[in-house]
C-alpha cells in the first residue's frame, strides 16, 4: 500500500493482510510552487471534460472558477503513480528535470534498480485523473500509453524503460 501522504513509504502485506515490511522511497521534499498551481488551474480551464460540462450548462470558465478556492499541499507527495509488474515496483514521482518526469524502478524489497527521466507520455487531464482514468500503464519493463494524434484520434504507444 502506497502511503506517500504520510511519508515516502510503501507498506507490503501478505495475502492475509499481515504487514511484512515497509519500503522507504528515495525522496526529497519539493514545495508546491506558484508556477505549478497556475499550471493546474490553466489545465483545469482547458480540460475536455470540464469544457464539455461548461458548454452543456452555458457557462464560462471565469464564472465557474469563482465558486472555488483551490488548496494545495505544502509539498508534493513522494509518489504520483505506482505500479508493480514483472517483480519490480515502478514509481513515478512528481520530480522533473529538463521537462522529463522521474521514475524509480525498485525490486520488491525496495532496492533501487534504476532511476530514469522520461518525457511525459500523456497530457494530464485533471478530471480524468480525478475520476481514476489512467492513460498509461507499465507492464514487463515497457510503458504503454494512449495519446491523441493530430486528427484527435487515440493512438497506443509503447516504450521500453528497463
Amino acid at each position: 500500500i502506497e502511503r506517500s501522504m504520510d511519508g515516502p513509504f510503501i507498506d507490503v502485506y501478505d495475502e492475509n493482510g499481515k504487514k511484512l515490511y515497509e519500503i522507504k522511497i528515495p525522496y526529497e521534499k519539493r514545495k508546491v510552487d506558484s508556477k505549478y498551481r497556475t499550471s493546474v488551474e490553466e489545465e483545469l480551464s482547458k480540460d475536455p471534460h470540464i469544457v464539455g460540462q461548461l458548454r452543456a450548462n452555458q457557462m464560462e470558465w471565469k464564472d465557474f472558477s469563482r465558486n472555488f478556492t483551490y488548496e494545495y499541499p505544502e509539498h508534493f507527495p513522494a509518489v504520483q503513480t505506482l505500479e508493480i509488474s514483472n517483480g519490480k515496483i515502478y514509481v513515478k514521482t512528481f520530480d522533473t528535470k529538463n521537462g522529463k518526469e522521474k521514475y524509480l524502478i525498485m525490486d520488491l524489497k525496495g532496492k533501487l534498480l534504476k532511476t530514469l527521466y522520461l518525457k511525459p507520455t500523456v497530457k494530464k487531464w485533471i478530471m480524468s485523473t480525478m475520476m481514476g482514468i489512467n492513460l498509461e500503464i507499465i507492464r514487463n519493463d515497457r510503458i504503454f500509453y494512449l495519446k491523441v494524434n493530430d486528427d484527435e484520434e487515440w493512438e497506443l504507444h509503447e516504450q521500453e524503460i528497463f
Side-chain angles (χ1 to χ4, degrees):
I1 295 175
E2 180 272 317
R3 56 184 184 94
S4 63
M5 293 305 286
D6 298 329
F9 306 109
I10 300 170
D11 290 335
V12 180
Y13 294 83
D14 69 12
E15 65 275 2
N16 297 314
K18 179 183 175 200
K19 183 176 175 179
L20 300 175
Y21 55 93
E22 176 181 270
I23 295 172
K24 184 167 187 198
I25 302 164
Y27 168 70
E28 291 180 31
K29 277 190 175 181
R30 190 175 128 221
K31 277 192 151 314
V32 175
D33 59 17
S34 61
K35 181 180 175 184
Y36 177 80
R37 290 190 297 269
T38 299
S39 73
V40 166
E41 291 170 27
E42 285 176 8
E43 284 185 40
L44 277 170
S45 72
K46 296 173 185 170
D47 184 277
H49 181 77
I50 292 175
V51 169
Q53 291 297 317
L54 291 175
R55 281 190 193 134
N57 291 292
Q58 300 176 338
M59 291 183 72
E60 296 288 328
W61 171 256
K62 62 182 172 149
D63 300 322
F64 174 74
S65 65
R66 273 189 244 146
N67 297 318
F68 298 95
T69 302
Y70 302 98
E71 294 188 25
Y72 299 89
E74 186 176 345
H75 296 94
F76 287 99
V79 174
Q80 187 173 162
T81 62
L82 179 138
E83 303 222 22
I84 299 172
S85 175
N86 206 36
K88 296 181 189 80
I89 302 170
Y90 300 86
V91 176
K92 180 179 180 178
T93 73
F94 282 92
D95 292 336
T96 59
K97 184 195 288 184
N98 300 323
K100 295 181 178 182
E101 298 173 318
K102 183 177 181 180
Y103 287 78
L104 306 171
I105 303 174
M106 300 180 285
D107 70 13
L108 296 177
K109 294 291 185 182
K111 178 183 174 195
L112 185 62
L113 302 173
K114 187 175 184 177
T115 299
L116 65 144
Y117 289 84
L118 299 174
K119 282 192 226 177
T121 55
V122 294
K123 177 172 172 33
K124 291 173 183 57
W125 290 350
I126 301 293
M127 287 303 293
S128 298
T129 302
M130 289 170 46
M131 295 182 334
I133 299 169
N134 193 356
L135 301 176
E136 64 185 21
I137 191 166
I138 296 173
R139 293 292 182 267
N140 300 320
D141 298 326
R142 303 183 78 70
I143 187 166
F144 298 86
Y145 56 96
L146 290 173
K147 200 168 190 175
V148 178
N149 65 22
D150 293 336
D151 296 326
E152 297 188 14
E153 297 171 327
W154 290 98
E155 293 179 341
L156 177 63
H157 296 258
E158 70 174 296
Q159 177 180 348
E160 189 170 339
I161 60 172
F162 193 80

PDB file of all heavy atoms in Angstrom, residues 5 22-23 36 77 98 138 150 153:
ATOM      1  N   MET A   5       1.413  10.255   1.298  1.00  0.00           N
ATOM      2  CA  MET A   5       0.927  11.437   2.008  1.00  0.00           C
ATOM      3  C   MET A   5       1.402  11.411   3.466  1.00  0.00           C
ATOM      4  O   MET A   5       1.491  12.437   4.114  1.00  0.00           O
ATOM      5  CB  MET A   5      -0.601  11.541   1.934  1.00  0.00           C
ATOM      6  CG  MET A   5      -1.122  11.821   0.528  1.00  0.00           C
ATOM      7  SD  MET A   5      -0.426  13.285  -0.271  1.00  0.00           S
ATOM      8  CE  MET A   5      -1.268  14.577   0.605  1.00  0.00           C
ATOM      9  N   GLU A  22       8.191  -2.492   5.398  1.00  0.00           N
ATOM     10  CA  GLU A  22       7.965  -1.158   4.850  1.00  0.00           C
ATOM     11  C   GLU A  22       9.136  -0.815   3.931  1.00  0.00           C
ATOM     12  O   GLU A  22      10.287  -1.085   4.246  1.00  0.00           O
ATOM     13  CB  GLU A  22       7.889  -0.160   6.006  1.00  0.00           C
ATOM     14  CG  GLU A  22       7.744   1.281   5.607  1.00  0.00           C
ATOM     15  CD  GLU A  22       7.702   2.184   6.824  1.00  0.00           C
ATOM     16  OE1 GLU A  22       6.595   2.429   7.335  1.00  0.00           O
ATOM     17  OE2 GLU A  22       8.782   2.627   7.266  1.00  0.00           O
ATOM     18  N   ILE A  23       8.817  -0.229   2.797  1.00  0.00           N
ATOM     19  CA  ILE A  23       9.843   0.236   1.856  1.00  0.00           C
ATOM     20  C   ILE A  23       9.880   1.753   1.937  1.00  0.00           C
ATOM     21  O   ILE A  23       8.839   2.407   1.853  1.00  0.00           O
ATOM     22  CB  ILE A  23       9.512  -0.202   0.413  1.00  0.00           C
ATOM     23  CG1 ILE A  23       9.549  -1.726   0.297  1.00  0.00           C
ATOM     24  CG2 ILE A  23      10.468   0.459  -0.585  1.00  0.00           C
ATOM     25  CD1 ILE A  23       9.052  -2.252  -1.038  1.00  0.00           C
ATOM     26  N   TYR A  36       3.456  25.835 -10.470  1.00  0.00           N
ATOM     27  CA  TYR A  36       2.676  24.601 -10.574  1.00  0.00           C
ATOM     28  C   TYR A  36       1.189  24.883 -10.360  1.00  0.00           C
ATOM     29  O   TYR A  36       0.337  24.400 -11.109  1.00  0.00           O
ATOM     30  CB  TYR A  36       3.165  23.558  -9.564  1.00  0.00           C
ATOM     31  CG  TYR A  36       2.336  22.297  -9.601  1.00  0.00           C
ATOM     32  CD1 TYR A  36       2.550  21.342 -10.584  1.00  0.00           C
ATOM     33  CD2 TYR A  36       1.321  22.075  -8.681  1.00  0.00           C
ATOM     34  CE1 TYR A  36       1.791  20.195 -10.638  1.00  0.00           C
ATOM     35  CE2 TYR A  36       0.549  20.929  -8.730  1.00  0.00           C
ATOM     36  CZ  TYR A  36       0.791  19.994  -9.710  1.00  0.00           C
ATOM     37  OH  TYR A  36       0.016  18.861  -9.772  1.00  0.00           O
ATOM     38  N   PRO A  77       3.619  14.950  -2.788  1.00  0.00           N
ATOM     39  CA  PRO A  77       3.831  13.625  -2.193  1.00  0.00           C
ATOM     40  C   PRO A  77       4.992  12.924  -2.910  1.00  0.00           C
ATOM     41  O   PRO A  77       5.419  13.333  -3.985  1.00  0.00           O
ATOM     42  CB  PRO A  77       2.508  12.896  -2.437  1.00  0.00           C
ATOM     43  CG  PRO A  77       1.778  13.686  -3.447  1.00  0.00           C
ATOM     44  CD  PRO A  77       2.341  15.061  -3.484  1.00  0.00           C
ATOM     45  N   ASN A  98      14.537  18.978 -16.799  1.00  0.00           N
ATOM     46  CA  ASN A  98      14.528  19.311 -18.226  1.00  0.00           C
ATOM     47  C   ASN A  98      13.233  18.883 -18.911  1.00  0.00           C
ATOM     48  O   ASN A  98      13.245  18.351 -20.016  1.00  0.00           O
ATOM     49  CB  ASN A  98      15.735  18.680 -18.933  1.00  0.00           C
ATOM     50  CG  ASN A  98      17.047  19.158 -18.359  1.00  0.00           C
ATOM     51  OD1 ASN A  98      17.183  20.316 -17.976  1.00  0.00           O
ATOM     52  ND2 ASN A  98      18.022  18.264 -18.281  1.00  0.00           N
ATOM     53  N   ILE A 138       2.384   0.393 -16.944  1.00  0.00           N
ATOM     54  CA  ILE A 138       3.682  -0.252 -17.099  1.00  0.00           C
ATOM     55  C   ILE A 138       3.493  -1.753 -16.934  1.00  0.00           C
ATOM     56  O   ILE A 138       2.912  -2.210 -15.950  1.00  0.00           O
ATOM     57  CB  ILE A 138       4.688   0.286 -16.069  1.00  0.00           C
ATOM     58  CG1 ILE A 138       4.939   1.776 -16.314  1.00  0.00           C
ATOM     59  CG2 ILE A 138       5.998  -0.506 -16.142  1.00  0.00           C
ATOM     60  CD1 ILE A 138       5.782   2.453 -15.260  1.00  0.00           C
ATOM     61  N   ASP A 150      -2.829  14.188 -34.207  1.00  0.00           N
ATOM     62  CA  ASP A 150      -3.258  15.465 -34.798  1.00  0.00           C
ATOM     63  C   ASP A 150      -4.691  15.432 -35.316  1.00  0.00           C
ATOM     64  O   ASP A 150      -5.333  16.470 -35.442  1.00  0.00           O
ATOM     65  CB  ASP A 150      -2.306  15.879 -35.934  1.00  0.00           C
ATOM     66  CG  ASP A 150      -0.915  16.216 -35.410  1.00  0.00           C
ATOM     67  OD1 ASP A 150      -0.807  16.568 -34.210  1.00  0.00           O
ATOM     68  OD2 ASP A 150       0.054  16.131 -36.186  1.00  0.00           O
ATOM     69  N   GLU A 153      -7.542  11.486 -32.785  1.00  0.00           N
ATOM     70  CA  GLU A 153      -7.854  10.076 -32.608  1.00  0.00           C
ATOM     71  C   GLU A 153      -6.847   9.508 -31.608  1.00  0.00           C
ATOM     72  O   GLU A 153      -5.699   9.940 -31.547  1.00  0.00           O
ATOM     73  CB  GLU A 153      -7.722   9.324 -33.939  1.00  0.00           C
ATOM     74  CG  GLU A 153      -8.690   9.805 -34.992  1.00  0.00           C
ATOM     75  CD  GLU A 153      -8.402   9.193 -36.355  1.00  0.00           C
ATOM     76  OE1 GLU A 153      -7.230   8.927 -36.680  1.00  0.00           O
ATOM     77  OE2 GLU A 153      -9.370   8.990 -37.094  1.00  0.00           O
TER      78      GLU A 153
END
